[in-house]
């Protein structure tokens, strides 16, 4: 509930600002404003719904041209959040060391195996991880901070995953009759209802698929089916 209050303190002023400012889709400056705002929103934080509200507003104001804005914003914002995490990791913040010395030492083996799996299947795992129920601006940061996957492989998996995910709320915004109804998800057209349900179904399906896939791979590692020498060469602890 604390996060909801914090998110509300950000979203409510933003909503009032957008409702009182006339935004025209034919003005290039407004595309630039929305793009810059999106990059600021990708600064890692635990606040929920920030990116979703931005996508809904982009759909309402820019209609189908909002897809271009979505592609450009996510194409730079997601790697940006990842890079912040990687910079902190390179500065010497060693999560593994804290796990080993703390009360969570029992999870160290699982943590190492999970990092190994991401290194060996980077594109597939990053695609699946982006559907986890964690704020969008925080997920890339965590992957950059906790793993050794390259930014190239991360982007190949994560950016398409998030574009698919957020295409649905963009269509809801596109179909909305007003900005307020867009942000509240009140559009009642058949298309809007379908795209409102679709990401929920896809999230459940992909998370279940990821859990099944990860469980199988971790079992293989536990049984010694993977080549440890290959892992040592790939993973720098």
């Amino acid at each position: 509930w604390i996060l909801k209050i914090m998110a509300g303190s950000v979203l409510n002023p933003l909503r009032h600002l957008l409702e009182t400012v006339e935004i025209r889709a034919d003005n290039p400056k407004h595309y630039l404003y929305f793009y810059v705002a999106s990059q600021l929103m990708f600064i890692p934080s635990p606040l929920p719904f920030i990116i979703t509200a931005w996508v809904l507003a982009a759909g309402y104001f820019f209609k189908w041209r909002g897809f271009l804005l979505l592609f450009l914003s996510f194409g730079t914002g997601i790697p940006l959040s990842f890079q912040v995490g990687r910079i902190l990791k390179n500065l010497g913040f060693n999560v593994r060391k804290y796990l080993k010395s703390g009360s969570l030492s029992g999870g160290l083996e699982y943590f190492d195996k999970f990092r190994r799996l991401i290194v060996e299947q980077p594109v597939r795992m990053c695609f699946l991880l982006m559907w986890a129920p964690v704020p969008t601006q925080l997920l890339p940061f965590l992957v950059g901070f906790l793993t050794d996957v390259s930014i190239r492989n991360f982007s190949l998996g994560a950016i398409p995953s998030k574009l698919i995910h957020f295409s649905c709320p963009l269509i809801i915004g596109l179909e909305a009759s007003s900005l307020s109804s867009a942000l509240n998800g009140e559009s009642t057209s058949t298309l809007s209802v379908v795209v409102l349900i679709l990401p929920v179904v896809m999230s459940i399906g992909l998370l279940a698929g990821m859990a099944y896939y990860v469980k199988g791979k971790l079992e293989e590692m536990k049984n010694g089916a993977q080549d440890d020498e290959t892992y040592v060469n790939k993973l720098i602890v």
Side-chain angles (χ1 to χ4, degrees), residues 15-35:
R15 174 186 296 182
H16 292 311
L17 174 64
L18 292 174
E19 287 176 344
T20 55
V21 175
E22 181 184 2
I23 295 182
R24 297 176 54 188
D26 59 351
N27 190 331
K29 290 191 299 184
H30 294 152
Y31 286 94
L32 178 62
Y33 296 155
F34 262 69
Y35 173 79

Side-chain angles (χ1 to χ4, degrees), residues 112-130:
D112 283 342
K113 288 179 178 179
F114 193 71
R115 292 175 70 197
R116 171 179 178 173
L117 178 57
I118 294 176
V119 168
E120 294 184 350
Q121 302 284 340
V123 177
R124 180 182 302 177
M125 285 301 300
C126 289
F127 181 93
L128 293 173
L129 281 171
M130 290 301 104

Side-chain angles (χ1 to χ4, degrees), residues 131-171:
W131 291 82
V134 176
T136 300
Q137 68 275 17
L138 191 59
L139 265 174
F141 167 83
L142 292 175
V143 176
F145 184 59
L146 298 176
T147 76
D148 294 290
V149 65
S150 69
I151 190 171
R152 176 183 177 275
N153 287 331
F154 168 78
S155 298
L156 287 175
I159 293 175
S161 179
K162 280 302 182 184
L163 287 175
I164 294 171
H165 189 176
F166 279 94
S167 291
C168 296
L170 191 138
I171 293 174

Side-chain angles (χ1 to χ4, degrees), residues 37-53:
S38 73
Q39 302 310 289
L40 295 175
M41 291 177 185
F42 271 107
I43 296 174
S45 74
L47 295 177
F49 315 125
I50 300 295
I51 303 294
T52 301

